[in-house]
Amino acid sequence: MLMTEVLAAVNETTRLPATLQSVADAAGVHRSTASRALNPAAAHLVAPEVVERVQAAARSLGYRRDVLAAGLRTKRSRLVGIAVPDMANLVFAPILSGIEETLSANGYSALIANAGTDVNRQIEVVDQLIGRRVEGLVLATVQQDNDPVLTRCLEAGVPTVLVNRTEARSRVPSVISDDVNGMRLAVEHLVGLGHHRIGHLAGPQNLSTGLLRLRGFCEAMQGAGLDASAVVSAAAYTREAGKAAAATLLDRFPDLTAIAAGNDLLALGVYQELAARGLSCPVDVSVVGHNDMPLMDMVHPPLTSVRIRHQEMGAEAARLLLDQISNSGAEIATRVTTPELIVRGSTKHCGQP
C-alpha cells in the first residue's frame, strides 16, 4: 500500500474513535502486526516499511498506545526508576540523557526522582518508585559502605544498577569513571606546569568518588616525589562546601600554588574563596576541577577539568540494567570509563605572570 493510500484510508476512518483496529485497517495490516509495530520492544519483528506505515496511520488518527493497559496484561510496567542526589547538579543531565535514550530504544520509560542526600529521604523515594511497579532501578546516590538504600532495593528483589558512584561490596553492577586515573591526570598536568605545592580539595569520603579521587591525588603526588599532605575534605559536593573547605585549606597551607578539586562545584567554591582573599586564578593559584560539567568553559577563568564520559556512563548503566531485568543471573559487572583532561584558562605555568 502506498503512503497516499494510507492517508486516504486514514481520512475515511477519522470519524471513528482511534483504536488499534482502526490503525490496523488504515495501514492495511493485521491488528497483531499493528500492535507489534507500535511497541518499541517488538517493532524489530516487523518490516521497517510496515512500521513506518503503521506509525503514520497512528499519528494521523491520534492513536496513543495504552502502556498501562499493556502492562496490566503482561504484568510488566516497562518502567525504570532513577534516583539522583541533586537534580540541580549539571553532572546528572548527560547521565540521564544516556539512560533515557537507551531505555527508550528498548521500549522502556524512566521515572526520575530527586532523592537528595538524606538517607531516610532516599529510602522513601525508592519505596515510592518500587510502589509504582518499576522493573528496575538506577541509583546515583550510593554511599561507599553498606548503602542502606541499595539494601532496600535488594530486599525488594528489584534489579538495580549504580551509576557514577559505586559501593565497596560490589553487590550490584555499576558504571563509574576511572577516578584514580582522572586525578592522576590533574596532578600530572599541574606538575608539568612546574607546580610543586599542590593541594587537594577532596569530596566527601563516604562516597566512592571522594575516596578514589583522594587516592589518585596521593598516588600521583607520591609518584612525583611531592608532599601529598595538603588535603581538606569538603562536607558535600556543593559550591558552598567548596568555599568553606578552600578557606580551611588555604589557611593551613598558605603557600599553595595549585589546587586539584574533587569536582567542578568544589572548584567554583575555590574561585569564590580566592576572590574573597584578593587572590587571582590562575595568577596566584591554578585550579583544576573534575567532571567537566556543562558551561565550565563559560566561567571566568574557563575551568581546566577532568572530563568524565557521563552520557556513555548513563547508556552503559541502562544496558546493564536491561540485562539484569531480562536475566536475573546476569554477571555483576563494574564498567569503568576513561577520563580525559580538558585544559583551559584556570591553570598556568608556576611563576609565570
Side-chain angles (χ1 to χ4, degrees):
M1 182 181 288
L2 298 176
M3 187 58 66
T4 54
E5 294 174 316
V6 170
L7 296 177
V10 166
N11 289 334
E12 291 177 4
T13 58
T14 52
R15 294 186 298 274
L16 301 174
T19 65
L20 181 60
Q21 187 61 58
S22 63
V23 171
D25 292 342
V29 299
H30 192 274
R31 187 175 185 277
S32 61
T33 301
S35 177
R36 286 193 291 271
L38 295 173
N39 181 356
H44 67 282
L45 300 173
V46 181
E49 62 272 15
V50 176
V51 172
E52 180 182 355
R53 195 164 74 234
V54 171
Q55 291 180 348
R59 287 193 298 269
S60 298
L61 288 170
Y63 174 80
R64 295 291 183 271
R65 180 170 174 264
D66 191 337
V67 178
L68 179 59
L72 291 174
R73 289 193 302 271
T74 63
K75 301 186 184 303
R76 297 188 64 181
S77 66
R78 304 202 76 82
L79 292 174
V80 165
I82 308 171
V84 299
D86 182 7
M87 288 288 288
N89 189 332
L90 295 178
V91 160
F92 296 108
I95 291 177
L96 293 172
S97 176
I99 293 173
E100 288 194 293
E101 284 182 10
T102 302
L103 291 178
S104 178
N106 288 275
Y108 280 79
S109 298
L111 296 178
I112 303 169
N114 190 28
T117 57
D118 178 75
V119 170
N120 291 328
R121 166 64 180 160
Q122 292 174 354
I123 291 175
E124 179 184 343
V125 165
V126 164
D127 283 343
Q128 291 173 353
L129 291 170
I130 293 172
R132 293 178 180 271
R133 298 178 59 245
V134 295
E135 294 187 37
L137 288 160
V138 179
L139 302 181
T141 57
V142 71
Q143 297 181 23
Q144 169 73 6
D145 295 315
N146 298 318
D147 183 70
V149 183
L150 176 56
T151 298
R152 178 64 63 92
C153 298
L154 293 174
E155 289 173 347
V158 179
T160 304
V161 169
L162 311 180
V163 69
N164 193 50
R165 302 174 185 172
T166 190
E167 189 197 43
R169 293 173 62 187
S170 300
R171 291 184 285 174
V172 297
S174 61
V175 185
I176 58 172
S177 180
D178 188 343
D179 288 314
V180 172
N181 186 49
M183 190 54 68
R184 180 185 61 79
L185 294 176
V187 171
E188 288 181 351
H189 169 65
L190 293 170
V191 172
L193 293 174
H195 294 277
H196 294 158
R197 298 184 301 280
I198 304 170
H200 178 44
L201 200 60
Q205 293 301 289
N206 65 326
L207 304 178
S208 64
T209 48
L211 190 68
L212 294 174
R213 291 170 194 175
L214 172 57
R215 181 185 302 169
F217 174 80
C218 293
E219 289 180 1
M221 291 289 284
Q222 291 163 4
L226 300 176
D227 181 7
S229 64
V231 174
V232 170
S233 295
Y237 278 127
T238 65
R239 188 176 59 186
E240 296 75 17
K243 184 178 186 303
T248 301
L249 183 65
L250 291 168
D251 285 344
R252 292 180 183 172
F253 306 96
D255 62 341
L256 294 179
T257 63
I259 296 174
N263 84 346
D264 292 339
L265 292 176
L266 297 182
L268 295 181
V270 175
Y271 276 21
Q272 287 187 299
E273 183 58 26
L274 290 175
R277 293 171 181 246
L279 299 175
S280 171
C281 172
V283 174
D284 297 305
V285 179
S286 289
V287 178
V288 179
H290 209 113
N291 280 329
D292 194 33
M293 296 190 312
L295 306 181
M296 288 302 98
D297 58 331
M298 302 297 290
V299 300
H300 181 74
L303 182 64
T304 294
S305 187
V306 177
R307 176 173 292 172
I308 292 177
R309 305 178 190 280
H310 289 113
Q311 185 147 353
E312 178 184 324
M313 287 171 59
E316 183 61 20
R319 285 191 287 268
L320 286 175
L321 183 61
L322 292 173
D323 287 345
Q324 294 289 316
I325 291 172
S326 62
N327 176 16
S328 60
E331 176 190 7
I332 297 179
T334 298
R335 303 279 190 260
V336 181
T337 63
T338 303
E340 174 189 8
L341 183 71
I342 305 299
V343 179
R344 300 193 181 99
S346 67
T347 54
K348 72 171 188 64
H349 286 275
C350 185
Q352 184 185 59

